[in-house]
């Protein structure tokens, strides 16, 4: 039996959910939208659906840590899964499974090969979206200078 974590309430109650679930899939698109209370399809507020938000990174860290501690497989799906700048903190949190568009697979596989684990851990402790985005941009470009940052619209 698996569970999709797509709302903040499920993420916050992950310990109780893991009593019943054998595996977890995190739906990043919906989770971001509901966490930020902003419709990602509404052009007036879509910019608030921010994958570099400290709140989101802390919530994801909590879910991934709980799953790993209990030995329950956890996968991230959604746009975030295929973005190189999002890969770094997720990898640092202990995420080892991604579900992404086939076109993103070669880029993320190369990120796995190139990324030292210690380079992936710092973003979660940062306090602002701008600080996180800037740090991740610098680190990804240091690790792989020619990678396309497909998430550059943010």
């Amino acid at each position: 039996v698996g569970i999709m974590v797509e709302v903040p309430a499920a993420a916050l109650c992950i310990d109780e959910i893991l009593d019943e679930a054998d595996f977890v899939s995190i739906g990043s698109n919906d989770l971001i939208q509901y966490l930020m209370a902003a419709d990602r399809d509404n052009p007036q507020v879509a910019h608030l659906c921010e994958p570099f938000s400290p709140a989101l990174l802390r919530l994801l860290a909590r879910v991934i840590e709980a799953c790993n501690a209990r030995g329950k497989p956890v996968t991230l799906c959604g746009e975030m899964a295929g973005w190189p700048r999002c890969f770094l903190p997720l990898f640092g949190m202990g995420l080892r499974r991604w579900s992404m568009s086939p076109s993103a697979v070669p880029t993320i596989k190369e990120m796995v090969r190139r990324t030292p684990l210690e380079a992936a851990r710092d973003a979660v402790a940062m306090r602002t979206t701008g600080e996180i985005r800037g740090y991740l941009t610098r680190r990804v470009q240091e690790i792989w200078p020619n990678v396309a940052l497909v998430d550059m619209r943010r």
Side-chain angles (χ1 to χ4, degrees):
V1 174
I3 182 82
M4 284 290 298
V5 173
E6 295 181 303
V7 295
L12 291 171
C13 293
I14 193 64
D15 293 318
E16 291 78 11
I17 289 170
L18 289 175
D19 289 340
E20 306 298 326
D22 298 313
F23 64 92
V24 171
S25 184
I26 302 168
S28 65
N29 295 348
D30 286 336
L31 185 60
I32 293 169
Q33 174 175 271
Y34 297 129
L35 179 65
M36 304 315 286
D39 180 357
R40 67 181 182 256
D41 295 324
N42 180 337
Q44 294 180 330
V45 295
H47 66 280
L48 299 172
C49 293
E50 179 59 66
F52 304 112
S53 161
L56 176 66
L57 293 181
R58 291 174 191 158
L59 194 63
L60 290 171
R62 176 185 169 107
V63 172
I64 294 165
E65 181 180 322
C67 291
N68 288 342
R70 301 273 291 270
K72 306 280 180 138
V74 57
T75 304
L76 182 101
C77 62
E79 288 183 39
M80 256 182 104
W83 290 348
R85 288 191 292 178
C86 293
F87 167 80
L88 279 177
L90 295 167
F91 188 65
M93 291 174 200
L95 186 70
R96 298 297 181 264
R97 295 176 180 177
W98 286 262
S99 175
M100 66 190 72
S101 166
S103 64
V105 171
T107 298
I108 298 303
K109 280 178 73 173
E110 189 62 25
M111 289 295 299
V112 170
R113 288 186 197 106
R114 291 175 177 255
T115 302
L117 189 55
E118 62 276 2
R121 292 193 172 135
D122 297 332
V124 176
M126 294 179 182
R127 298 177 60 142
T128 69
T129 299
E131 184 181 14
I132 292 167
R133 186 185 303 108
Y135 171 78
L136 293 175
T137 300
R138 286 189 305 279
R139 290 302 290 151
V140 166
Q141 290 174 338
E142 289 169 11
I143 292 165
W144 190 8
N146 298 325
V147 69
L149 297 176
V150 294
D151 58 346
M152 284 305 288
R153 68 174 182 250
R154 293 193 162 91

